[in-house]
Amino acid sequence: EVQLVESGGGLVQTGGSLRLSCAASGYDIDDHAIHWVRQAPGKGLEWVSAIYSYTSNTYYADSVKGRFTVSIESAKNTLYLQMNSLQSEDTAVYYCAKDRSYGLDGMDYWGKGILVTVSS
C-alpha cells in the first residue's frame, strides 16, 4: 500500500530555515515524479515543487524559486524540501503527493500534510 508521511514542520521565525521530509512506502520513490503542495490559511492549494529523481529534473513555483530546494534520498525512499529565507506568506499546511507517472501527469496519493508556521 502506498503511504506518504510528512514530518519536520513546526514554528520558525521569519528568515529562518526548515527542512520537511516525506517518507514514502509501498513503491520506489525513484520511479515516479513527486510533488510538494501547500495550502495557506483561507487559501486554495498551491503547487510548490516537484522532482523526478530518475532524470534529476526539479521544478519550482516562482514564489519559492531560489529559496526552496527539493531532493530525494533514494536509500531511505524519502523526499525532502529544504526551505530557506522563510516568510510569513510561507505559512501553510504542506503536503507531499505522488505523481501518477513521470511526466507530471497528476497526483494519485497524498500525505496527510504538516503545518509550517512562520512568525513575523
Side-chain angles (χ1 to χ4, degrees):
E1 186 71 31
V2 173
Q3 286 189 298
L4 302 170
V5 181
E6 300 95 340
S7 62
L11 177 65
V12 65
Q13 63 183 344
T14 299
S17 298
L18 204 63
R19 189 180 75 163
L20 302 182
S21 300
C22 172
S25 60
Y27 83 107
D28 188 341
I29 198 169
D30 293 326
D31 289 344
H32 301 268
I34 189 165
H35 307 253
W36 287 103
V37 182
R38 68 186 182 185
Q39 186 168 30
K43 297 185 178 180
L45 293 170
E46 178 190 17
W47 177 84
V48 174
S49 184
I51 182 170
Y52 181 43
S53 182
Y54 187 77
T55 59
S56 299
N57 288 337
T58 59
Y59 310 87
Y60 298 94
D62 289 342
S63 60
V64 306
K65 194 173 298 180
R67 299 189 298 119
F68 290 11
T69 303
V70 66
S71 63
I72 282 174
E73 186 173 4
S74 297
K76 292 187 175 181
N77 221 47
T78 298
L79 169 75
Y80 301 100
L81 184 67
Q82 178 65 47
M83 304 183 293
N84 298 327
S85 301
L86 283 162
Q87 305 165 12
S88 60
E89 293 80 9
D90 296 316
T91 295
V93 175
Y94 285 73
Y95 302 89
C96 59
K98 172 186 173 291
D99 198 272
R100 291 181 178 272
S101 186
Y102 43 79
L104 307 180
D105 293 328
M107 305 161 202
D108 55 2
Y109 292 93
W110 294 65
K112 292 183 178 180
I114 191 163
L115 179 63
V116 172
T117 302
V118 183
S119 62
S120 60

